[in-house]
Amino acid sequence: MSRRTRRARAAASLAAAASVVTALIPLTAVFSPNWFAAALVAAVAVPAVGAAGRLVHNGLAILAQVAVGFAIAWWRFPGGLAGGLLPWDGAWALPGVLATARDEVLTGVVPVAVGAPLDFLLVCATALLAVVVDQLAVAARLPLVATLPLVAVFVAPQLAVPRGDDLLLALPFALALLALFATGSAPRRRRARGGRGSAMPAATIGVAIVSALATLAIAPAVPILPAGQQGLVTRPLSIDVSLDLGDDLRNTSSAEVLRVRTDAAQAPYLRLATHTGYGDDGWQVDAGASSPIAEGFPELSTNGVVGEVESRSTSTWVSDVQLEAAYLPVPENAVALEGASDGWNAMLDNRTVRSSELSSRGEAYRVDATTLAPTREQLDASPWAEAGLDAQAGNTIQVDPATGEVVTEDIPMYAAAVPDEVSGGVIGDTARSVTQGAGTPYRAALQLQEWLRSSEFSYSLETPVEDGFDGSDAQAVERFLDVREGYCVHFASTYALMARSLGIPTRVAVGYLPGTMTGDRVDDMVQYSVAADRLHAWPEVYLVGIGWMPFDPTPGIAQAQSVVRGDTAEQTAAPEPSEAPSASAEPSATPSARASNPATADDGSGDSGADAGGVLLTLGVAALVILLLCAPAAWRRILAGSRRRAADAGDIGAAWRELVAVALDAGLDPSPAESPRALGARLVAAGAGRDDVGAVVDAVERAAFAPAPPGPRALADPLRAIARALRPEDAVARFGRSLLPRSLWTRPRLVRAPSDR
């Protein structure tokens, strides 16, 4: 194998490794990235040993790659070799490891936590992909076929994490494919009579360019799986509205869920569903009566027990919904919804919107809502509620206001129902201890909120899993009260059960925290972006004479929801805890970077840590793309400088190779039958200086034919002058030539340079 062929094969192996690595990068959005370093080793090692094996014999390459693949599998396998990776004496752990890895993929939520079994599967799959690509593109010289598995791997994450165009990731992948086409299809040359040295066929170049452009379009064009359909993984934008939110909340995706604008003073919490029923298995999603959304919701009114409650009408516009759910996100106290598809139903008891046939994805609509603004005096005047004596009498509760008058209100009776073991156990005892001396339901509700938001509790997504209480039933709540670490589901469920044990009706809502400002204004209203990591759960309290009011006991949220909406400063927000929530919690232990930032969580203004991280990531990827774009030009400059220095030191072969490279970059195709003098004549005709070309050609001829080798001659300056003279005058053409120098991809068969003999 000639040195030229060895170089071509090595370049093809390098391109194969680059194409595998760039194809894998989008998968880091689907799987936590702890597996990627090992996969990178596999993607580089397999083509490298293949290239080394071909130096000895072509057949040795595949054997070396299989051996390295087995070594990598042994390295990443979570167990021993005999009886583990390989069957031995009836024992074989490999099938169980693969089954566990499959379950991690199918049941995980993006980004899927990669344990040892899934790490093993991903790294081994990378090694196998590298073997296939290297054998197809380098050994079989079928780069077009090799791109098929690469493109499949690259676009697969779009089935799980639709993030938009992904051009920053598609561009380096497209460049790697172009390099794979260029290096993988050119080694076989043909010698035509009087013809030119064979370069990469024009058809292959065309296919490479078309494939690269197609790659840029594939990522955004891949269709998204319908709601409920199983794909590669459970998709982050398809959530479970039950209170089993652990996996969804551990999704740190910043993918946009929707955009919202409102004529209210601030962006609202958006509810998807509520949970009022409570049983042995914890909280249940509300069902109940419904009607077509076109008929709207019942009128929102109060019974006058605390006097006339001030209310304001607001409108909220929701658009660009990327959420796959059977619910539409709506603000509290919705009264009408317009613009959504036919088939959505208004849930009359809880003022949410759902459908058994439609998905929220792609919907755009307006929600009119009534915002209640009771005064502090009215909140304090709300009396205690007691369940009606006759459970069959209907959805009513009996009220004993300060006047002694009995009033009934239409709310579900089970909103105050709680098992005896809850009210008479640890949960009830703790609630009574915390709210001792509260006097009114509202003050008790505030004291519960303040206590849970105090420094005695901290936010953690991992502790409930590690300690085995990741749920919302009474046992999980009791364990949470002991450990005092959990996430929003635990805080909301604990709050709701503690309040019920005091006789205060409660329910738990699931939805999204207010979004962050986009900087855009639509119809003179600020537009907010709500990301997937804003998913949240919070309790709502029923205050007699007022209605359902939201609270938020989860620490790490900048402020609890405003439950007092009077006009005075004293009445505009719920009192903050006397002690600030723990400031020592790690960022990973908060609902999201935006949710935990006291400066931004409620009003959505400013930049969050997650936004800053996204900016840095974008800048990093942009820098990588720029480096990849500049790499061919930089490598060409390095080669040119090295050859010129060698030429000045007496290496005439280096001078000849640089002269040929300059001709190729200028669009001249040297012929295998062409002498150095003939090539020099064409260079002069193209604009190069006669003296400069003559100096190089004369040195080459003397080195080839003189009886004694010539002494060192200064050829760097003539070579530099020739390259400068052949540069295009047009700046665009000059930039295009330097971006992808032809001399890096095309190597014609010529008369050997003197140093090659």
Side-chain angles (χ1 to χ4, degrees):
M1 185 185 297
S2 68
R3 185 167 63 180
R4 181 180 293 109
T5 301
R6 291 197 299 270
R7 286 199 299 263
R9 290 289 181 88
S13 296
L14 180 61
S19 63
V20 172
V21 171
T22 53
L24 290 176
I25 291 175
L27 283 175
T28 57
V30 177
F31 302 103
S32 60
N34 54 301
W35 61 279
F36 189 72
L40 184 62
V41 172
V44 174
V46 168
V49 299
R54 291 185 189 96
L55 295 178
V56 180
H57 190 276
N58 286 336
L60 185 60
I62 183 64
L63 296 178
Q65 288 174 337
V66 170
V68 167
F70 180 79
I72 291 172
W74 188 8
W75 170 39
R76 305 308 296 177
F77 187 74
L81 178 62
L85 183 61
L86 299 177
W88 183 263
D89 196 22
W92 193 19
L94 178 60
V97 170
L98 295 178
T100 302
R102 178 202 60 200
D103 292 341
E104 288 184 46
V105 173
L106 294 178
T107 62
V109 174
V110 174
V112 176
V114 176
L118 185 53
D119 175 277
F120 167 76
L121 180 61
L122 289 171
V123 175
C124 289
T126 299
L128 179 60
L129 177 65
V131 171
V132 171
V133 171
D134 184 81
Q135 288 298 314
L136 287 174
V138 183
R141 299 169 188 168
L142 297 171
L144 181 60
V145 179
T147 61
L148 298 178
L150 290 169
V151 171
V153 170
F154 182 81
V155 302
Q158 280 288 352
L159 300 177
V161 188
R163 296 181 307 278
D165 293 347
D166 270 345
L167 291 181
L168 290 180
L169 299 181
L171 187 55
F173 179 57
L175 292 175
L177 289 187
L178 184 60
L180 189 66
F181 274 107
T183 58
S185 58
R188 289 180 177 171
R189 315 289 180 183
R190 69 179 188 274
R191 186 179 299 182
R193 186 191 311 175
R196 299 172 299 181
S198 62
M200 184 170 63
T204 303
I205 296 176
V207 171
I209 294 175
V210 170
S211 299
L213 294 176
T215 302
L216 295 177
I218 284 175
V222 172
I224 304 302
L225 294 177
Q229 181 173 336
Q230 291 294 328
L232 178 65
V233 293
T234 303
R235 295 174 47 220
L237 301 186
S238 178
I239 68 167
D240 182 359
V241 297
S242 73
L243 287 189
D244 296 327
L245 291 179
D247 289 337
D248 286 329
L249 290 167
R250 277 181 280 273
N251 164 33
T252 56
S253 170
S254 59
E256 186 177 74
V257 173
L258 56 88
R259 292 203 167 193
V260 62
R261 64 186 192 277
T262 180
D263 59 10
Q266 61 185 17
Y269 280 58
L270 296 173
R271 298 188 306 161
L272 290 167
T274 60
H275 304 72
T276 308
Y278 182 83
D280 294 338
D281 297 329
W283 298 89
Q284 290 94 38
V285 179
D286 291 348
S290 65
S291 63
I293 193 62
E295 299 178 11
F297 296 91
E299 181 182 355
L300 185 67
S301 61
T302 58
N303 64 10
V305 170
V306 299
E308 184 177 354
V309 178
E310 180 184 348
S311 63
R312 293 189 289 269
S313 296
T314 62
S315 294
T316 299
W317 288 260
V318 178
S319 62
D320 302 293
V321 180
Q322 301 300 316
L323 179 69
E324 296 281 6
Y327 293 82
L328 291 181
V330 295
E332 63 171 322
N333 292 335
V335 295
L337 186 147
E338 297 181 358
S341 304
D342 294 336
W344 290 101
N345 295 316
M347 306 300 293
L348 303 181
D349 291 336
N350 55 33
R351 298 180 183 273
T352 59
V353 181
R354 70 170 298 175
S355 173
S356 59
E357 301 175 351
L358 302 177
S359 167
S360 55
R361 182 178 177 83
E363 293 285 2
Y365 49 91
R366 186 191 76 191
V367 184
D368 295 328
T370 299
T371 302
L372 298 175
T375 64
R376 180 60 180 265
E377 291 74 17
Q378 288 175 321
L379 290 164
D380 280 334
S382 176
W384 294 91
E386 296 178 357
L389 298 178
D390 184 1
Q392 304 300 320
N395 290 336
T396 64
I397 62 170
Q398 194 175 49
V399 180
D400 184 10
T403 61
E405 180 183 358
V406 176
V407 181
T408 58
E409 297 187 15
D410 291 331
I411 71 165
M413 292 182 62
Y414 56 85
V418 63
D420 292 340
E421 59 268 22
V422 172
S423 59
V426 173
I427 298 173
D429 292 344
T430 305
R432 286 184 287 273
S433 174
V434 170
T435 61
Q436 187 174 5
T440 68
Y442 174 65
R443 289 185 180 274
L446 282 184
Q447 288 180 7
L448 286 176
Q449 176 176 266
E450 180 176 349
W451 182 65
L452 289 169
R453 289 173 59 82
S454 72
S455 58
E456 296 186 32
F457 292 84
S458 59
Y459 191 100
S460 173
L461 284 169
E462 305 305 328
T463 299
V465 178
E466 295 170 355
D467 286 16
F469 64 93
D470 192 13
S472 62
D473 56 15
Q475 290 73 24
V477 168
E478 290 176 358
R479 181 64 177 149
F480 168 73
L481 288 173
D482 180 44
V483 176
R484 300 198 174 185
E485 289 187 10
Y487 49 86
C488 61
V489 168
H490 301 95
F491 286 94
S493 182
T494 299
Y495 181 97
L497 288 182
M498 292 178 72
R500 283 195 181 189
S501 68
L502 300 174
I504 303 173
T506 58
R507 65 188 182 191
V508 179
V510 171
Y512 287 96
L513 292 164
T516 56
M517 291 183 180
T518 64
D520 299 330
R521 298 184 72 89
V522 178
D523 296 333
D524 202 32
M525 286 179 285
V526 175
Q527 190 173 56
Y528 297 85
S529 174
V530 178
D533 57 11
R534 305 289 280 175
L535 184 64
H536 191 49
W538 65 91
E540 294 180 337
V541 170
Y542 190 87
L543 296 175
V544 176
I546 298 172
W548 289 105
M549 304 297 293
F551 285 72
D552 201 336
T554 304
I557 307 300
Q559 288 184 335
Q561 295 192 62
S562 177
V563 297
V564 185
R565 296 184 176 88
D567 295 329
T568 66
E570 180 186 8
Q571 297 170 342
T572 56
E576 288 298 311
S578 55
E579 295 183 59
S582 173
S584 62
E586 294 295 327
S588 61
T590 58
S592 69
R594 281 183 286 270
S596 62
N597 188 339
T600 63
D602 256 18
D603 61 7
S605 61
D607 293 328
S608 67
D611 293 333
V615 171
L616 291 177
L617 177 61
T618 301
L619 291 176
V621 174
L624 176 62
V625 171
I626 293 173
L627 288 175
L628 289 173
L629 286 173
C630 296
W635 182 241
R636 176 68 184 92
R637 285 180 173 273
I638 292 172
L639 286 178
S642 174
R643 290 167 181 163
R644 290 167 187 164
R645 288 191 296 272
D648 271 351
D651 187 350
I652 306 303
W656 170 244
R657 289 191 294 274
E658 177 59 17
L659 186 67
V660 171
V662 169
L664 284 169
D665 291 340
L668 303 177
D669 294 318
S671 166
E674 193 170 33
S675 66
R677 188 175 295 274
L679 176 61
R682 287 208 292 144
L683 289 171
V684 171
R690 185 177 299 276
D691 293 341
D692 296 321
V693 173
V696 178
V697 169
D698 181 67
V700 171
E701 290 180 337
R702 286 179 179 275
F705 303 112
R713 302 181 65 175
L715 297 178
D717 288 341
L719 287 170
R720 189 177 292 107
I722 294 170
R724 189 180 301 115
L726 295 180
R727 289 176 183 169
E729 295 182 0
D730 181 68
V732 175
R734 188 163 59 248
F735 175 77
R737 179 182 294 184
S738 63
L739 194 64
L740 285 174
R742 291 183 69 239
S743 58
L744 294 181
W745 320 113
T746 305
R747 298 186 181 278
R749 182 183 295 275
L750 298 174
V751 176
R752 290 185 184 181
S755 61
D756 289 337
R757 292 181 179 275

